[in-house]
Amino acid sequence: MQINEELIRNVVAEVLAQVGRAPVTATSRFTGRHGVFTCVDEAVAAARDAFEQLQERTLEDRKGIIEIIRRIAIDQCVELGTMEMNETKIGRLEHKIEKLKTLGERTPGVEFMRSEVFSGDHGLAVIEHAPFGVIGAITPVTHSLPTLTGNAVSMIAGGNTIVVNPHPSGKKVATEGVRRFNREIYRQFGIDNLIAIIAEPTLDSAAAIFKHRGIALICVTGGPAVARAALNSGKRAVVAGPGNPPVVVDESADLDRAARSIVRGASYDNNLLCIAEKEVFVVESVFDKLMQAMERAGAVRLTTREIEQFTRNAIVQVGEGDHKHDAPSKDFLGKDAAVLARGAGRVVPEQTELLFGETDFAHPFVQIEQMMPFVPFVRVRDVEEGIARAKEAEHGYRHTSLIHSNNVRNMTRMGQIMDTTLFVKNGPCMAALGLGGEGYLSFSIAGPTGEGVTTPLTFTRERRCSMIEDLRILGRTRA
Ligand code: NAD
């Protein structure tokens, strides 16, 4: 017997609606897929159907939908974080778990939606923030499901739906997360495929998303290649690109506090955060004291010879001809400090969080985004030289920079010169995302395109509604 699946889904949706489990809603031929697709055209069509259904819903519904994503990220963080660790094999399990929970708890939601009003002699203009429609999102391997979770919360809060092309090495956990989010959203709200994912992502599927007519906006989170590709796509793009965050420590700093902050920020998830401390410039007069403070804070110092051996193992050359450049070796990227130490010919306790040591400015660990828990420390004459070196090492990404100082002039000067999206003073990098500092959180920090730490408003377009010569209730309007 031929079974008409769509008819059955419609009947089931109707029954659920009548028993109060889900509101009556239009269904889509993709209902029941729970967001998992192999074909970009189908994923975009399903997300478009979901967008049209979401348009019919209230802000309160959006809030409820987001609440489901938050709850799953928080309640299932151990299972999903472990899945992410087992699949990607980079970073630290405790941080994989914590990142999911934190994004579930702290990503800005519908409370960030607002309208602006201009009220004057000529009446009233109200500016509201409308969704773009279906957003194409590209996510990194360094935080596969966490980035997706944060993007989903903010984008849906803005009224959009999403098609995600995850990193191939984090696709399984991303797909499982999407399946769980959609299944529960469908059960409670009757809309499926608010988040569609390409379960077998490739560069071709990313390119197809970039040029798809049904995609209204692109949001990429990743390194230089994907940032370039998004900027060349011909579509409006929100680009959360790479960084190489430098730290300056001057002679006025509280050195123990600086050391504790550097250890905490640089070792978090084995240095995978794009905002993480990647190289440190220290004023000569306090250099040796800071190195001692780093050891007191639990980091292990490598000798010059150990650093040389480690560099031979951990830095590889990639690219051809003029494009040949240093890059972190996959054998060490995101691995534990104890694994790195073995590459340096040293044995350290397994629980060691961070390795560090003295290098010169030209050293590859200063110049590249290493994403592994070894941080180079470079001696500088004074704070001016430190800031100048920091500027050079940041390579113009304008992503993140940090200073440890009690001299307001030095802080101000560094802030002005660096011109980075995030500038942190006297704390670990994550304080800039509200973790131990003020502010809110996102794992897509859009430097190149200027949106900064993304929020639901990042993913909206302005619409103005003007009432001429009426509705201003103060005084008289112009006749
Ligand atoms: P990556 O650039 O290798 O990959 C990121 C994503 O882009 C993946 O999904 C990948 O498949 C895709 N991709 C790569 N090249 C592409 C191309 N030419 N066209 C289309 N898609 C392409 O980066 P990664 O190793 O997954 O993540 C680490 C990088 O991401 C670091 O450079 C880090 O600084 C950056 N990052 C930035 C932020 C931010 O908020 N600014 C957040 C997290 C990570």
Side-chain angles (χ1 to χ4, degrees):
M1 187 177 70
Q2 189 74 21
I3 296 178
N4 183 334
E5 279 185 32
E6 196 173 343
L7 181 70
I8 292 175
R9 279 194 212 108
N10 285 341
V11 170
V12 169
E14 193 69 28
V15 171
L16 284 175
Q18 282 175 12
V19 296
R21 294 270 300 282
V24 179
T25 188
T27 51
S28 150
R29 69 192 160 106
F30 301 107
T31 299
R33 298 279 285 269
H34 300 324
V36 181
F37 294 86
T38 47
C39 163
V40 169
D41 283 337
E42 281 192 358
V44 175
R48 180 75 212 175
D49 288 352
F51 172 69
E52 276 158 20
Q53 293 170 44
L54 188 64
Q55 286 273 77
E56 301 298 316
R57 299 304 185 88
T58 60
L59 265 181
E60 204 50 36
D61 282 349
R62 277 191 213 168
K63 196 171 168 195
I65 287 167
I66 287 165
E67 195 49 42
I68 291 171
I69 299 174
R70 292 190 193 283
R71 275 265 65 83
I72 290 173
I74 296 166
D75 294 347
Q76 302 178 24
C77 65
V78 175
E79 186 191 349
L80 291 167
T82 306
M83 221 182 263
E84 173 133 358
M85 184 72 218
N86 290 341
E87 182 181 6
T88 63
K89 299 185 172 57
I90 55 174
R92 278 163 56 184
L93 177 59
E94 69 211 270
H95 298 144
K96 298 280 179 239
I97 293 169
E98 190 175 67
K99 286 192 299 185
L100 256 182
K101 182 164 175 286
T102 307
L103 279 151
E105 284 168 351
R106 305 188 62 157
T107 302
V110 288
E111 69 284 359
F112 266 65
M113 298 301 289
R114 57 175 159 72
S115 306
E116 291 90 39
V117 173
F118 290 81
S119 171
D121 289 347
H122 298 285
L124 204 63
V126 178
I127 296 172
E128 292 180 308
H129 298 272
F132 269 91
V134 182
I135 299 177
I138 310 281
T139 51
V141 66
T142 45
H143 338 283
S144 183
L145 187 55
T147 307
L148 190 157
T149 302
N151 283 171
V153 168
S154 280
M155 290 170 184
I156 293 172
N160 306 282
T161 60
I162 311 146
V163 174
V164 186
N165 205 60
H167 192 291
S169 304
K171 65 184 179 186
K172 289 193 198 131
V173 66
T175 303
E176 184 54 27
V178 164
R179 189 181 286 117
R180 292 182 189 196
F181 294 153
N182 281 309
R183 195 193 291 138
E184 193 54 24
I185 292 168
Y186 178 61
R187 195 181 73 78
Q188 289 190 38
F189 286 87
I191 310 180
D192 199 5
N193 305 315
L194 285 170
I195 312 156
I197 190 162
I198 307 302
E200 294 299 336
T202 59
L203 288 182
D204 287 344
S205 60
I209 290 172
F210 284 170
K211 62 173 194 287
H212 203 288
R213 292 181 60 166
I215 297 282
L217 174 73
I218 294 167
C219 175
V220 304
T221 307
V226 71
R228 264 193 310 275
L231 290 169
N232 290 332
S233 69
K235 279 211 165 69
R236 163 96 197 275
V238 174
V239 177
N244 191 33
V247 186
V248 169
V249 183
D250 78 7
E251 60 278 12
S252 73
D254 174 338
L255 298 180
D256 279 307
R257 177 171 167 174
R260 282 195 305 274
S261 297
I262 294 167
V263 171
R264 177 154 159 68
S267 70
Y268 192 86
D269 209 19
N270 285 342
N271 200 252
L272 291 182
L273 295 180
C274 61
I275 58 171
E277 293 82 350
K278 297 283 192 294
E279 61 277 339
V280 185
F281 299 101
V282 191
V283 170
E284 196 152 36
S285 61
V286 293
F287 189 90
D288 293 332
K289 285 189 195 133
L290 181 66
M291 299 300 259
Q292 288 157 13
M294 286 295 293
E295 288 181 307
R296 280 197 296 280
V300 172
R301 182 173 182 173
L302 297 185
T303 64
T304 307
R305 184 177 295 182
E306 286 167 343
I307 294 173
E308 274 170 19
Q309 179 175 337
F310 177 52
T311 307
R312 278 195 299 277
N313 288 324
I315 302 292
V316 293
Q317 292 260 299
V318 295
E320 295 296 327
D322 288 350
H323 298 293
K324 208 166 189 174
H325 60 91
D326 288 336
S329 151
K330 285 202 166 44
D331 293 340
F332 292 96
L333 192 149
K335 299 297 183 203
D336 289 349
V339 175
L340 271 53
R342 287 198 278 282
R346 175 92 171 259
V347 177
V348 302
E350 287 300 315
Q351 71 275 16
T352 303
E353 289 183 299
L354 189 71
L355 307 179
F356 72 106
E358 182 172 1
T359 72
D360 59 17
F361 176 71
H363 198 278
F365 271 98
V366 175
Q367 299 301 325
I368 66 163
E369 194 186 14
Q370 68 267 41
M371 294 188 274
M372 62 181 87
F374 167 76
V375 175
F377 280 57
V378 180
R379 234 175 251 267
V380 291
R381 212 173 39 250
D382 52 24
V383 74
E384 285 302 319
E385 190 194 353
I387 295 171
R389 292 299 204 186
K391 177 83 180 167
E392 229 180 302
E394 217 268 326
H395 304 307
Y397 293 131
R398 298 198 295 176
H399 193 299
T400 299
S401 57
L402 308 95
I403 188 169
H404 294 276
S405 170
N406 280 308
N407 181 324
V408 174
R409 289 259 157 80
N410 290 349
M411 296 179 194
T412 309
R413 190 152 169 69
M414 181 161 172
Q416 287 167 343
I417 290 174
M418 293 306 298
D419 196 17
T420 45
T421 304
L422 303 179
F423 178 46
V424 192
K425 293 162 288 292
N426 297 331
C429 61
M430 56 277 255
L433 294 184
L435 303 171
E438 295 304 321
Y440 51 86
L441 176 91
S442 160
F443 267 20
S444 296
I445 301 158
T449 46
E451 293 81 0
V453 182
T454 52
T455 75
L457 286 174
T458 307
F459 306 108
T460 58
R461 37 188 280 273
E462 278 193 8
R463 288 180 54 188
R464 181 181 294 200
C465 190
S466 300
M467 170 59 88
I468 317 303
E469 292 176 3
D470 259 316
L471 278 186
R472 177 175 162 89
I473 56 170
L474 305 179
R476 291 170 62 87
T477 46
R478 250 171 138 86

